[in-house]
Amino acid sequence: SNIRLWVSFSVALFFVFANINLPVWPKVSHYCIFIFLTGMILAKFIPSKLIKIAFISLFALNISYARPEFFLTYLALLILWFIALFFKDFRDSKSILISLLLIGFGIGIQFVMGNPLFNFQGDRSALAFAQHFMFNYFQWNHIDQDWWITWMTYYQDLFGNVTSIKDAYQTNETLFHLHFLTNFQNYFVQALQLFSDAMLPENIIKIPQIGRVIILALGGIIMILVSTDRKFISTVVNGFKNNTLSILVLFLMIAPTLASCFVIYPRTHYMIFHYILLVYIVDIMFFSKPINSKIYDRYTFIFSGIILSVVLLLMPSTKDYHHFDLWRKETSQANLETIKKLRAYNFTEPIHLLENEGGMNIFLGKNYSWIRGFAKDTTWIAYLEKEQVDIIYVTPSLVKYPTLKQDSTWNDFEAHPEKYGYEKVQTGNFSPYLLIHQHLLNNKP
């Protein structure tokens, strides 16, 4: 994109170690970014804008099978292609024919694989809204429960049995507006933290957020003050002119996730898309190469070497990052350490593992099956017997679940698990622990 190569190199390198990248969960967003940017890079070698747009639409269709909201990006690109037909400079018979073939290929894919927006979980966006609305609601009302598994009863009391975001808005406009404003505020608070870290990663540079913001703001001001000559301005204008289509296409990619941030919640795996566009625009503004300048110069190698050396010397460990922990108050990698502990036991018999974390059995082998603690429909002791529970993973999401807190048999069990044949096993220096039935431990050598 005619941006100085040492800057492009540095931006890419810093992004690897940024908090908006490495610990982000779920990772499906990374797949979408990789695929879509690959399509944009390849499209740089296509001279016809009509063919470019049709070509990139195939990549938008691809990622919409990973995240259905990107089907809106795909539709927007088809509309953009149709608008481009009205400009004589873009309209020639060869470009129209090739682009129509590409668009037809995309439609053919949908006949084979189904439509990604309407053929799968139609209520996905409504469910995401409901759960994340309850996250805000629990914060507003200081409800000490895990919203992702206890949200449904509260939500039905507030919105009834609505099945879409539109119905939720019409049912309770006041709460919807409060939710939107809360997300709007949280978005900019998180953007300041995440985007400044992505440009100057704290795990490498070791500068707190306020310092990063000041450095970036002063750097921008200085660049503007010292770069007001006509040559610099023409370079920036030319940079935007040459990349107008790329900027527009990137905006169409991020638009669905931007809407999701305000309507659902500003999750980091949405905001990672927005950083791509932001850093692209910033680099075009301040680091575009002058017209007819060399691809490489001495600064390319000198600055790239300095940046790489700094990163290699200060490279952080994955242990330096705060990874996803189900929004617990206690920061730890309890789930990971517990999985390691259970793997070390190397149980081969069928194991019924009860927990409220979301299906840890998938990391433990086919002999493990998940018993959902939140599905308890009788007393605690009776539920253990009915499900023949071998191992219990005791975490805040289990202990704080309403039906368990109100169960008197649980209180006695928690205080004296050995009476019921379970032995407490601590897996690390954190509050979650295991209760393993003694018949499993007795069979171990």
Side-chain angles (χ1 to χ4, degrees):
S1 298
N2 209 43
I3 294 168
R4 295 184 184 276
L5 283 180
W6 70 268
V7 174
S8 299
F9 173 75
S10 303
V11 166
L13 194 62
F14 280 176
F15 179 77
V16 172
F17 299 101
N19 283 313
I20 202 173
N21 171 46
L22 195 64
V24 168
W25 180 92
K27 293 293 185 186
V28 66
S29 295
H30 291 70
Y31 169 82
C32 295
I33 288 173
F34 175 78
I35 294 295
F36 197 81
L37 292 187
T38 299
M40 290 189 64
I41 290 167
L42 295 175
K44 289 280 185 182
F45 299 97
I46 301 173
S48 166
K49 288 186 170 57
L50 275 181
I51 300 175
K52 276 181 191 285
I53 297 169
F55 179 75
I56 294 173
S57 74
L58 294 178
F59 290 82
L61 179 63
N62 180 295
I63 65 175
S64 67
Y65 284 99
R67 297 199 76 101
E69 60 265 31
F70 287 121
F71 189 73
L72 300 176
T73 300
Y74 169 72
L75 293 178
L77 286 169
L78 295 187
I79 293 171
L80 183 63
W81 175 86
F82 181 76
I83 293 172
L85 287 175
F86 291 91
F87 293 86
K88 290 182 180 180
D89 294 342
F90 304 156
R91 195 171 62 222
D92 64 86
S93 55
K94 182 180 177 182
S95 296
I96 293 174
L97 178 60
I98 295 175
S99 58
L100 279 173
L101 289 173
L102 291 170
I103 290 171
F105 180 65
I107 294 171
I109 290 173
Q110 295 174 66
F111 276 107
V112 175
M113 295 186 63
N115 181 281
L117 187 62
F118 304 109
N119 198 44
F120 296 96
Q121 299 174 347
D123 62 345
R124 184 170 178 260
S125 60
L127 178 63
F129 165 78
Q131 289 183 317
H132 288 85
F133 169 84
M134 295 316 303
F135 174 72
N136 280 333
Y137 184 82
F138 278 31
Q139 296 275 329
W140 301 332
N141 294 281
H142 308 289
I143 300 173
D144 187 22
Q145 292 178 16
D146 293 321
W147 55 275
W148 66 91
I149 52 175
T150 63
W151 62 273
M152 193 171 294
T153 303
Y154 293 93
Y155 189 76
Q156 287 177 341
D157 290 341
L158 296 169
F159 293 96
N161 295 314
V162 297
T163 57
S164 69
I165 296 176
K166 178 184 176 183
D167 291 341
Y169 175 77
Q170 293 175 340
T171 301
N172 201 326
E173 291 186 22
T174 302
L175 280 180
F176 191 97
H177 290 154
L178 181 59
H179 172 71
F180 183 91
L181 289 173
T182 302
N183 288 345
F184 190 81
Q185 177 182 348
N186 288 337
Y187 179 87
F188 288 101
V189 170
Q190 292 191 62
L192 201 62
Q193 176 187 348
L194 292 170
F195 296 165
S196 66
D197 177 80
M199 294 179 185
L200 295 172
E202 184 178 3
N203 284 306
I204 294 178
I205 308 298
K206 311 297 181 185
I207 298 175
Q209 179 182 334
I210 184 66
R212 297 195 305 270
V213 172
I214 291 173
I215 290 171
L216 292 170
L218 287 176
I221 293 170
I222 292 170
M223 287 289 289
I224 291 170
L225 292 177
V226 303
S227 304
T228 53
D229 60 277
R230 188 173 300 176
K231 183 180 178 182
F232 177 82
I233 293 172
S234 65
T235 298
V236 174
V237 170
N238 187 65
F240 276 106
K241 188 184 296 183
N242 291 337
N243 293 287
T244 301
L245 181 60
S246 295
I247 293 171
L248 179 57
V249 168
L250 274 177
F251 178 77
L252 294 179
M253 180 189 73
I254 75 163
T257 58
L258 189 63
S260 296
C261 282
F262 298 137
V263 175
I264 297 174
Y265 190 79
R267 292 282 299 276
T268 309
H269 69 278
Y270 291 147
M271 297 178 68
I272 189 174
F273 294 97
H274 310 164
Y275 173 72
I276 303 297
L277 178 59
L278 172 67
V279 76
Y280 189 47
I281 291 174
V282 168
D283 287 345
I284 291 173
M285 284 180 63
F286 296 120
F287 301 107
S288 290
K289 288 186 294 185
I291 301 169
N292 299 324
S293 64
K294 295 179 181 179
I295 296 176
Y296 299 98
D297 55 34
R298 64 179 182 274
Y299 299 110
T300 298
F301 300 103
I302 293 172
F303 292 159
S304 297
I306 292 172
I307 295 294
L308 182 59
S309 300
V310 169
V311 170
L312 288 174
L313 286 171
L314 305 177
M315 185 182 295
S317 164
T318 53
K319 294 179 181 178
D320 298 333
Y321 293 83
H322 177 67
H323 295 269
F324 182 68
D325 59 5
L326 283 178
W327 297 275
R328 288 196 184 98
K329 294 178 181 178
E330 178 187 56
T331 300
S332 74
Q333 293 297 292
N335 288 3
L336 178 61
E337 296 304 318
T338 300
I339 287 168
K340 289 179 180 178
K341 183 74 173 181
L342 288 173
R343 282 177 172 174
Y345 278 114
N346 198 27
F347 295 125
T348 57
E349 56 267 67
I351 301 293
H352 291 176
L353 172 63
L354 185 149
E355 44 91 356
N356 269 4
E357 299 302 288
M360 290 171 61
N361 59 300
I362 63 174
F363 302 104
L364 292 167
K366 294 182 179 179
N367 60 316
Y368 278 81
S369 57
W370 178 25
I371 307 300
R372 294 157 175 79
F374 54 81
K376 183 176 79 71
D377 54 1
T378 180
T379 64
W380 172 254
I381 302 302
Y383 189 63
L384 294 183
E385 293 175 354
K386 184 180 77 169
E387 299 295 342
Q388 299 179 331
V389 174
D390 301 294
I391 301 175
I392 304 163
Y393 184 34
V394 182
T395 61
S397 59
L398 178 70
V399 175
K400 292 190 298 184
Y401 197 73
T403 60
L404 198 62
K405 291 177 70 174
Q406 300 161 9
D407 191 332
S408 59
T409 65
W410 159 255
N411 296 327
D412 184 61
F413 177 88
E414 185 182 29
H416 308 286
E418 67 280 356
K419 286 171 49 178
Y420 302 90
Y422 291 89
E423 184 174 320
K424 183 176 179 179
V425 176
Q426 200 74 44
T427 61
N429 188 26
F430 36 73
S431 57
Y433 61 91
L434 289 169
L435 291 172
I436 302 178
H437 203 281
Q438 289 172 354
H439 82 273
L440 290 174
L441 298 176
N442 293 338
N443 293 335
K444 296 302 292 181

